[in-house]
Amino acid sequence: MSDFPWVRFFPSDWLAGTRGMSAVETGVYITLVATMYERGEPIPEDQARLARLCGASNSAFKKALDTLIEEGKITRVNGGLWNDRVEKEKVYLSEKSEVARRAGKMSAEKRKQNQEAEATPVQRPFNGRSTKPEARSQKPEATLSSVAAPPAAQADFDQLQSKLTEAVDGKIQPHGSFVVGPIAELMANGVSLELDVIPV
């Protein structure tokens, strides 16, 4: 299975980046990039095979490839043909996966601690009443995502939104804002905003 079962695709970036290209150049470009994502590594420069893959004649493929290399869309590397955006996405997905792995590990540890705490027997004095200050019927503690944020928490959410927006130079797609609740919960579980979230 591919290392890239999905990738971020921004239509406005794609249209801007391919404006002025011929239909053949655009078709060759997207097919080569998709193949790089599928392989997760540079593709060997076997022009006859790649021309067939792109559905182009050898001469049309060679002309399109020369243009793409000249414009910096495709680069020649030791392993064959490569694309800088594919490399960036590879790093992005790797970092995102690492953050999710850490968050999952911390969540599992917290669940285990909660289960151990709940499994601890209740100490009962001679009169048979529980010495635990809380009763079992109490509602569980609310999480950041389960309640409306009070004014102070809303200010924290606004500050978090501002930091995240600043980290991506204001280029947020597609909605122009972040859903900060899940990020705030990760931070509450020990994930570092500066070390784990913002670099991704």
Side-chain angles (χ1 to χ4, degrees), residues 59-70:
S59 60
F61 175 81
K62 182 181 182 328
K63 184 178 176 186
L65 180 62
D66 289 344
T67 300
L68 293 169
I69 289 172
E70 185 179 307

Side-chain angles (χ1 to χ4, degrees), residues 178-195:
F178 291 97
V179 178
V180 297
I183 295 173
E185 286 188 31
L186 285 174
M187 291 170 58
N189 286 326
V191 173
S192 167
L193 179 67
E194 282 74 20
L195 298 177

Side-chain angles (χ1 to χ4, degrees), residues 81-155:
L81 301 174
W82 194 233
N83 173 273
D84 291 340
R85 180 60 183 259
V86 175
E87 183 66 33
K88 288 177 185 171
E89 287 298 304
K90 191 174 181 180
V91 170
Y92 168 81
L93 288 177
S94 174
E95 290 175 350
K96 184 177 174 66
S97 175
E98 178 61 21
V99 169
R101 187 192 66 74
R102 283 191 214 163
K105 185 177 179 183
M106 286 190 301
S107 177
E109 288 172 0
K110 190 168 184 178
R111 272 195 310 275
K112 183 179 177 186
Q113 289 171 356
N114 288 343
Q115 288 170 350
E116 289 172 355
E118 288 175 6
T120 304
V122 177
Q123 298 293 325
R124 297 188 182 276
F126 182 70
N127 64 8
R129 292 186 183 155
S130 170
T131 57
K132 277 194 171 181
E134 75 279 354
R136 287 246 178 220
S137 63
Q138 279 186 327
K139 291 180 181 176
E141 184 178 323
T143 63
L144 286 173
S145 62
S146 65
V147 296
Q154 184 61 47

